[in-house]
Amino acid sequence: MSDNMKKYPVHEDFHTLQMSIPFYAPLLPLLQRLTRSAYVRRSIPETLTHKRETCIAHDGYPITIELFSPKSIEPNAPCILFLHGGAFALPAADHHKQLIIDFALGCSCKVVMADYRLAPRYPYPYGLEDCFSVYQWTTQHAKELSIDPGRIAIYGDSAGGALASGLTHLIRDRSQQIPQFQMLIYPVLDARLSTDSMQQYVDTPIWNAKLNAKMWKLYLAGEKDSYASPNEITSLEGLPNTYIEVNEFDCLRDEAIEYANKLKKTGIDVYLVKTEGTVHGFELNYKSSYTQMIIGQRIAYIKEQFALR
């Protein structure tokens, strides 16, 4: 067990998650290739259909979209727009693909995965605007995709949580159809780096406050507005039901709890899950019984929300 794991009483299932992401700009092209290769190698079960589409971004850039759908799904099905994490700089990982598979099959829904542009080549707001374009594409093509336009949700983990939250605000402010609900998994939400957990967890495995500061500097590249850092947005009116999940030993924990409390005060229905003994990105041990229990909670919430319509 590493010294960091000894320092924090991490659940035994996650003792093997000792390394931190080598988040250095010169290494990112290699990390992007390795991550994308692992994602592609993850097989898709025969019970799912999978195809790729292209969505044109606001500046003419072709965004790749992946569509996952259970073969036995009913017409006019619900849909999740899946915004992967990766510090705004890495593509979807193999565990993201497994999550997509589990959500599609476990929730009897379609999943749209947005392969948005990545930093540092494409800093803010490219990724967020790409996600907005994919959301628009999904709503506009709902009928031909056999998607119920009233049951489209947005999912995002880590940096994907920042994109999901920022996108939901952007959708509201651009007078688009509000998603049915949003699911934010240990989300990045605040570029100010001022919470207690951000001050405390400077050496946790996988992700920590030092890496978080590097991420923001790389992603923002001198540009910032409240859509990039959703916890700084003052108006939360009109947002949908929200599921927020935080990890015990995670520098991002307190900003997500703060955001959840702000939503609650606004009258938004919030389901806050505080996982125990966990570090950022604990799904890297995907087969852990604890990981599977938490993923089961997410699936139960998604099914419950989709059943409300």
Side-chain angles (χ1 to χ4, degrees):
M1 187 188 305
S2 70
D3 290 340
N4 286 354
M5 287 298 187
K6 293 177 182 177
K7 183 176 180 180
Y8 307 109
V10 174
H11 190 286
E12 63 181 1
D13 285 5
F14 311 120
H15 286 176
T16 58
L17 306 180
Q18 298 182 16
M19 294 186 65
S20 295
I21 296 174
F23 197 74
Y24 303 101
L27 287 177
L28 284 175
L30 173 61
L31 289 176
Q32 288 170 349
R33 290 195 296 272
L34 291 174
T35 304
R36 199 174 293 278
S37 177
Y39 175 89
V40 170
R41 289 198 304 271
R42 173 74 68 170
S43 62
I44 299 169
E46 294 183 358
T47 50
L48 281 180
T49 61
H50 171 246
K51 64 178 181 177
R52 288 180 173 83
E53 298 281 355
T54 300
C55 166
I56 304 302
H58 69 288
D59 61 353
Y61 180 86
I63 308 165
T64 298
I65 300 172
E66 292 187 61
L67 301 170
F68 299 80
S69 178
K71 289 183 177 178
S72 60
I73 199 166
E74 296 291 328
N76 205 35
C79 177
I80 297 171
L81 172 57
F82 191 100
L83 307 180
H84 65 82
F88 303 110
L90 296 175
D94 57 341
H95 75 273
H96 289 126
K97 196 173 193 177
Q98 188 59 56
L99 268 173
I100 289 170
I101 292 167
D102 288 347
F103 285 166
L105 295 175
C107 304
S108 297
C109 69
K110 296 175 181 285
V111 180
V112 172
M113 206 283 286
D115 192 11
Y116 57 85
R117 280 175 281 185
L118 303 170
R121 184 177 181 183
Y122 296 105
Y124 179 82
Y126 283 99
L128 180 60
E129 289 292 349
D130 285 356
C131 293
F132 181 79
S133 296
V134 174
Y135 180 78
Q136 275 195 313
W137 181 92
T138 304
T139 57
Q140 292 169 358
H141 292 79
K143 184 175 181 180
E144 63 190 80
L145 295 172
S146 195
I147 289 172
D148 180 352
R151 290 191 294 166
I152 298 175
I154 299 177
Y155 171 98
D157 67 282
S158 193
L163 293 170
S165 177
L167 173 60
T168 303
H169 284 277
L170 203 60
I171 289 167
R172 179 198 63 183
D173 295 346
R174 292 181 178 176
S175 301
Q176 302 295 304
Q177 177 180 311
I178 299 294
Q180 187 187 1
F181 63 93
Q182 59 179 339
M183 177 169 277
L184 311 178
I185 306 300
Y186 42 80
V188 172
L189 291 171
D190 202 323
R192 293 171 294 186
L193 310 174
S194 59
T195 64
D196 289 343
S197 62
M198 194 61 66
Q199 306 308 311
Q200 181 178 3
Y201 297 125
V202 297
D203 58 355
T204 42
I206 307 299
W207 197 249
N208 55 54
K210 293 178 181 178
L211 294 172
N212 206 63
K214 289 182 179 180
M215 174 199 71
W216 277 117
K217 186 175 182 180
L218 195 69
Y219 177 56
L220 296 179
E223 299 291 333
K224 191 189 84 167
D225 59 31
S226 55
Y227 295 117
S229 179
N231 218 6
E232 299 183 56
I233 298 176
T234 56
S235 173
L236 304 180
E237 299 288 343
L239 297 182
N241 292 353
T242 302
Y243 175 109
I244 295 180
E245 184 180 298
V246 298
N247 303 319
E248 185 173 3
F249 306 113
D250 189 348
C251 62
L252 300 169
R253 182 193 66 201
D254 290 352
E255 62 196 60
I257 294 173
E258 181 182 342
Y259 190 67
N261 290 335
K262 288 178 180 178
L263 288 171
K264 288 179 181 178
K265 288 180 180 179
T266 309
I268 307 300
D269 186 84
V270 177
Y271 188 76
L272 177 62
V273 175
K274 297 180 181 179
T275 64
E276 298 179 354
T278 46
V279 294
H280 192 86
F282 67 92
E283 296 109 313
L284 288 171
N285 185 354
Y286 202 85
K287 294 181 179 179
S288 156
S289 59
Y290 190 82
T291 300
Q292 289 301 307
M293 185 268 288
I294 297 300
I295 292 172
Q297 288 185 16
R298 298 177 196 173
I299 289 173
Y301 179 88
I302 293 169
K303 292 172 68 176
E304 177 184 291
Q305 292 297 305
F306 281 152
L308 294 178
R309 292 287 181 92

